[in-house]
Amino acid sequence: MSVEVKVKHTTEVVIQAINRQIANTYLLSIKYKKFHWHVSGPFFKQLHDLFDMHHGQLLTIIDDLAERSRSIGGHPIATASEFINNSELEEAMGYNFSPLQMVEMLYSDSDLIIDSLHEDIIQATNDSDPGTADLFTSIVQTIQKQAWFLAETKARGTLL
């Protein structure tokens, strides 16, 4: 038997922000997995492993966001169409991306998510929801570290 939790100590705006971040993170995770499957070239092993590691971290984030939503009375989005309709990211259509293009797309998407999370941290704080603000903050730290790995990967100009 499921007991519905009342929306308490937060707002619908914050719950919508959680859903947006679920969508953002889900689309980014799909991109990581796609690139994990399709990367090639002299840095195949390093990028293949990096993309898979980041994908796994993002799956944990998605679960944390969905569970946070439920714990404060929300209903996390959970369909492909909801992910696409609520995300600030675009899908990576096609298959012929160079390793550098892959890294640059992932970096750009990570940067967008970081900016979006900063706004959502402020919103959650202003709406008296320190728990969600704290979760968003921890996610920013993870995405920033991933972005750093991507930036360092392309920093020397050796990716094709």
Side-chain angles (χ1 to χ4, degrees):
M1 181 162 112
S2 176
V3 177
E4 285 298 315
V5 177
K6 291 189 294 185
V7 176
K8 189 174 181 181
H9 303 295
T10 195
T11 63
E12 288 294 331
V13 173
V14 172
I15 291 172
Q16 290 170 3
I18 293 171
N19 277 332
R20 184 176 53 259
Q21 294 308 333
I22 290 171
N24 286 343
T25 307
Y26 203 87
L27 258 60
L28 183 59
S29 76
I30 290 169
K31 222 174 265 187
Y32 266 111
K33 188 52 86 170
K34 177 180 184 169
F35 293 163
H36 165 82
W37 292 329
H38 291 282
V39 69
S40 62
F43 299 102
F44 165 78
K45 176 68 173 145
Q46 296 90 335
L47 291 174
H48 183 77
D49 291 347
L50 179 67
F51 294 165
D52 201 42
M53 178 180 75
H54 286 187
H55 174 263
Q57 292 168 343
L58 295 174
L59 293 181
T60 299
I61 289 170
I62 292 164
D63 195 52
D64 290 345
L65 286 164
E67 289 176 357
R68 177 66 187 167
S69 176
R70 290 296 296 140
S71 71
I72 60 175
H75 295 280
I77 60 174
T79 67
S81 63
E82 288 174 314
F83 298 142
I84 291 168
N85 291 334
N86 286 279
S87 180
E88 298 166 293
L89 307 182
E90 298 293 326
E91 293 182 278
M93 304 305 284
Y95 299 98
N96 294 318
F97 300 109
S98 71
L100 178 59
Q101 289 172 317
M102 291 176 182
V103 170
E104 287 178 339
M105 276 191 267
L106 294 168
Y107 181 85
S108 177
D109 286 350
S110 297
D111 193 48
L112 187 151
I113 291 173
I114 290 164
D115 289 346
S116 178
L117 281 164
H118 277 266
E119 293 172 13
D120 291 341
I121 290 165
I122 293 166
Q123 184 69 52
T125 301
N126 290 342
D127 290 358
S128 301
D129 187 346
T132 302
D134 183 59
L135 176 60
F136 287 158
T137 300
S138 70
I139 294 168
V140 165
Q141 293 170 345
T142 300
I143 303 293
Q144 284 174 328
K145 187 171 184 180
Q146 290 180 348
W148 169 51
F149 276 49
L150 295 168
E152 289 298 323
T153 298
K154 67 179 186 157
R156 303 294 180 256
T158 57
L159 288 179
L160 304 173

